[in-house]
Amino acid sequence: NTFAQKECSSCPSGKYTGNIGSNSEKSCKTCSPGSVSSPGSSNCISCLAGKYSLQGEECVVCPQGKYNNLVGQIKYLKNF
């Protein structure tokens, strides 16, 4: 007997899975706001202080004149 084997697939940016051998994006989980992942990640990491993320794909530097002093933020917090 021959079994058809599906090809493994990676999760896109902003998503992750800890499942080995996943073959569907359905097994990917979305990163929490304030954290990010790169394609194929098995976990998300918090954005560093001075950056923020809403959608898990990229940590964005706070705009000029704004800042936050905590990790894992979803927006900038204060004016200088």
Side-chain angles (χ1 to χ4, degrees), residues 1 20 36-37 39 45 52 54 70:
N1 290 345
I20 297 172
V36 296
S37 71
I45 57 169
Y52 65 99
L54 288 173
L70 303 171

Side-chain angles (χ1 to χ4, degrees), residues 33-54:
S35 62
V36 296
S37 71
S38 55
S41 293
S42 60
N43 63 337
C44 299
I45 57 169
S46 295
C47 293
L48 298 175
K51 297 183 177 186
Y52 65 99
S53 176
L54 288 173

Side-chain angles (χ1 to χ4, degrees), residues 47-53 60-80:
C47 293
L48 298 175
K51 297 183 177 186
Y52 65 99
S53 176
V60 179
V61 175
C62 296
Q64 187 173 358
K66 310 281 185 182
Y67 80 102
N68 69 50
N69 59 349
L70 303 171
V71 299
Q73 297 301 300
I74 61 170
K75 64 181 180 177
Y76 48 86
L77 300 174
K78 301 178 181 180
N79 292 326
F80 280 123

Side-chain angles (χ1 to χ4, degrees), residues 8-12 15-31 37-44:
C8 292
S9 59
S10 296
C11 294
K15 297 189 176 200
Y16 71 99
T17 185
N19 299 334
I20 297 172
S22 296
N23 59 13
S24 169
E25 192 176 323
K26 291 179 185 177
S27 65
C28 299
K29 297 175 185 169
T30 301
C31 292
S37 71
S38 55
S41 293
S42 60
N43 63 337
C44 299

